[in-house]
Amino acid sequence: MHQGVEMERTDDDRRSPGRLCPGWCVARHGEQLGEEDWVHVGEPLTVAEGVTAQLCLSVDPDSGAEDGPYVLIGSSEYTPAATVALGRSLIALAIRAGSRPPR
């Protein structure tokens, strides 16, 4: 399981004790009912006009099984490894553009 802090508990909390919330999560747990309360989300990062990237992880409240973390970019979901590969590809693209001789 990931490292983090214990999620804020409410009086009507049906979560199991000791459930951890990742340190990057900015969700206000306990304010929504159902599945939405078990989704951890990071602060959105603007990567292009109208496009944001955001960390996301969901935890099944009954089994504790985790799905993620993923990086959501627009409406696409990437694993951390795929996100690193995308970042490297973008950097390589920018380097190629910068090394092109002027016309």
Side-chain angles (χ1 to χ4, degrees):
M1 186 168 242
H2 52 78
Q3 292 185 358
V5 295
E6 188 170 337
M7 291 170 50
E8 186 177 317
R9 298 185 66 75
T10 63
D11 291 339
D12 187 31
D13 197 347
R14 289 180 257 159
R15 290 174 251 185
S16 56
R19 180 73 64 207
L20 294 178
C21 185
W24 48 260
C25 182
V26 297
R28 295 186 55 126
H29 297 286
E31 292 185 357
Q32 298 191 28
L33 299 175
E35 189 175 316
E36 283 76 26
D37 195 41
W38 282 93
V39 175
H40 301 287
V41 293
E43 194 70 43
L45 170 69
T46 300
V47 294
E49 187 175 332
V51 179
T52 60
Q54 190 171 26
L55 280 169
C56 181
L57 169 77
S58 64
V59 180
D60 183 286
D62 297 321
S63 69
E66 296 179 355
D67 185 22
Y70 295 103
V71 177
L72 302 176
I73 301 175
S75 60
S76 299
E77 192 175 90
Y78 298 86
T79 64
T83 306
V84 169
L86 175 61
R88 287 182 178 149
S89 295
L90 289 171
I91 290 169
L93 188 69
I95 289 170
R96 271 185 272 150
S99 64
R100 183 174 164 209
R103 292 183 183 194

